[in-house]
Amino acid sequence: MGIADRRQREKEQRKTEIIDAAERLFFSRSYEDVSMEDIAREVELNKATIYLYFKNKETLFATIVLRGIQILKEKYTECMEKQVPGIVKVALMGQAYYQYAQEYPDYLRMIHFYGSERFSKENPCTAEIGKGYGTCRLLLRDAIREGINDGTIRADIDPFLTSMYLMISFMGILSMENKWKLVIGAEGFSYEQFASEFFRFITPAISSGENSRKMDVKDFASFGFFLTEPVAPEKKKRGES
């Protein structure tokens, strides 16, 4: 390996170390509570060196968001590549998003926070983040198209609009504020039950009416879908506190 190659590898390694250090801090603190000085201390470099690699804190934050987007995109791609009916792919993508939220809650929190209007549209990472998240939605759209073509999804719905409805619903459920989880809990349901019932609710809405092709959410279990069990709340009797 030549000197130039070794220096380039060392440069990439240092950049990765900076990102890793920033990730640890952003995972454990809010965006406002992390400074470039904090990141420099965490990675044991001076702040001037950090600025050689990243223009500002926002750029570093966005770089970590891209890591999270890439993981979600990989999960959606895996679902799309499965040899299953289109409607099952749609359900598996919803399940993949749910699993992602359980496995990578900090990435999900950062992704949703980056979607706020506080960040500059001029950030070079913004377009890449939008493209990555857009790829996930396009994969969902393609799964819906497959379902229409194989007869498991209604032919009278638009794949683009349906993919938008579903992605927005997934995001809303998985970024739910704790106050709404408390409301759900007060009615005797767990948050997990709430997420499960969404699939039981949405599947009949998009499923084909053709009896030979019609599938119920309970039929998806054989394809690896597990959010299928009907739920019953432990409801309080009226008048009970």
Side-chain angles (χ1 to χ4, degrees), residues 80-134:
M80 192 64 192
E81 292 174 348
K82 291 182 181 294
Q83 300 302 308
V84 298
I87 195 169
V88 177
K89 290 185 180 182
V90 171
L92 289 175
M93 287 180 185
Q95 176 176 277
Y97 209 153
Y98 175 83
Q99 289 177 308
Y100 177 82
Q102 304 304 306
E103 296 172 19
Y104 305 101
D106 293 307
Y107 278 135
L108 185 67
R109 174 178 57 80
M110 290 181 66
I111 289 170
H112 289 163
F113 185 72
Y114 195 83
S116 67
E117 295 183 356
R118 64 166 295 135
F119 292 97
S120 171
K121 293 181 180 179
E122 297 178 359
N123 188 315
C125 293
T126 299
E128 194 172 352
I129 290 170
K131 182 179 178 181
Y133 205 81

Side-chain angles (χ1 to χ4, degrees), residues 26-92:
F26 284 126
F27 276 8
S28 61
R29 307 179 194 174
S30 68
Y31 178 80
E32 292 80 3
D33 289 336
V34 176
S35 67
M36 292 295 269
E37 289 86 351
D38 294 331
I39 295 168
R41 281 195 296 270
E42 179 73 15
V43 76
E44 297 181 345
L45 294 171
N46 62 61
K47 190 169 68 170
T49 301
I50 305 295
Y51 281 111
L52 291 176
Y53 291 87
F54 297 96
K55 179 180 178 181
N56 50 34
K57 183 175 73 168
E58 180 178 322
T59 303
L60 245 175
F61 189 88
T63 301
I64 299 165
V65 169
L66 278 172
R67 280 184 170 183
I69 291 287
Q70 181 60 36
I71 295 171
L72 182 61
K73 187 166 67 173
E74 289 170 0
K75 285 183 174 290
Y76 267 52
T77 300
E78 288 175 6
C79 295
M80 192 64 192
E81 292 174 348
K82 291 182 181 294
Q83 300 302 308
V84 298
I87 195 169
V88 177
K89 290 185 180 182
V90 171
L92 289 175

